[in-house]
Amino acid sequence: MRNEKTKILVEGAAMVALATVLSFIRVFKLPWGGSITLLSMLPIVLFSIRRGVKSGLVVSFVYALVQFGQGVMDGLFGWGLTPGMLVACILLDYLGAFFVLGLAGMFRKKDIVGWIAGIFVAVGLRFVFHFLSGVVIWGSFGELWSGFSTDNTWLYSFLYNGCYMLPEMIFTMIGAIVLLKTPQTKRFLMND
């Protein structure tokens, strides 16, 4: 039993480290903020699929803390937010948004269709957290790209966050499908 807990701990730490390294590899950085990374969510969602939601949420919380640390290094405290808005930003854009990735294992017993559904739900919830942050905290509106501007905060936040979260979701799902279609990965994920 103790050996199994150690194994889970080591796997979780390795997945957080891998996800963190991948989050620094930006495939595309959007001009108004946000970026598409090289499958940075994939290690966390695969861990959740392998070990279940409980362990997945623990690892995703650690990953959320690491992402918060990256946000601090990127100047989070210099963004001019009031103390209340800063706390809301930390809760929505960091802790909540990355914590929900641990839910990817919710349908893990349903084979590949369930795994993909779990990834869809988890990454979709991450989008919801960023979307709400855009509406509640940032209240953003304006020009997203040349020729398109809006004063509708809801639409702006939806489009702004959708421009990087939708590709992130698609790439994560494609990466998962490629890995999950290989017999070795499938055996590894289901070997408790």
Side-chain angles (χ1 to χ4, degrees):
M1 180 71 159
R2 185 167 182 231
N3 190 24
E4 186 63 22
K5 286 184 180 181
T6 302
K7 189 176 177 182
I8 293 170
L9 181 65
V10 169
E11 283 178 21
M15 292 300 130
V16 170
L18 181 58
T20 302
V21 169
L22 291 173
S23 75
F24 284 112
I25 303 171
R26 294 187 172 132
V27 176
F28 185 76
K29 186 169 179 160
L30 297 165
W32 55 85
S35 59
I36 301 164
T37 63
L38 184 63
L39 303 171
S40 63
M41 295 182 286
L42 189 59
I44 305 301
V45 298
L46 288 179
F47 179 84
S48 180
I49 291 168
R50 174 165 163 72
R51 294 296 181 179
V53 171
K54 184 178 174 186
S55 295
L57 287 172
V58 170
V59 165
S60 64
F61 182 72
V62 171
Y63 183 57
L65 292 175
V66 170
Q67 288 299 306
F68 170 64
Q70 282 182 273
V72 170
M73 290 188 309
D74 285 343
L76 171 66
F77 292 111
W79 293 350
L81 297 172
T82 65
M85 294 300 229
L86 181 61
V87 169
C89 177
I90 292 167
L91 292 175
L92 289 173
D93 276 329
Y94 293 99
L95 300 183
F98 291 97
F99 177 67
V100 294
L101 294 177
L103 295 172
M106 68 174 64
F107 306 120
R108 72 190 203 114
K109 301 290 185 195
K110 305 282 187 207
D111 207 36
I112 196 163
V113 173
W115 301 342
I116 298 305
I119 292 170
F120 179 80
V121 169
V123 177
L125 286 171
R126 179 181 164 196
F127 166 79
V128 169
F129 273 93
H130 290 306
F131 169 73
L132 290 174
S133 172
V135 171
V136 173
I137 298 166
W138 302 106
S140 300
F141 61 89
E143 189 171 313
L144 278 170
W145 51 81
S146 181
F148 179 83
S149 64
T150 180
D151 59 357
N152 183 322
T153 301
W154 295 84
L155 177 61
Y156 184 89
S157 183
F158 181 80
L159 293 173
Y160 172 94
N161 290 295
C163 281
Y164 71 92
M165 283 304 305
L166 181 61
E168 283 271 349
M169 177 187 284
I170 292 168
F171 293 148
T172 301
M173 292 172 88
I174 289 170
I177 290 168
V178 168
L179 286 174
L180 297 171
K181 286 287 189 177
T182 63
Q184 297 85 351
T185 305
K186 189 173 182 177
R187 198 171 330 119
F188 174 75
L189 288 172
M190 291 298 98
N191 184 14
D192 289 330

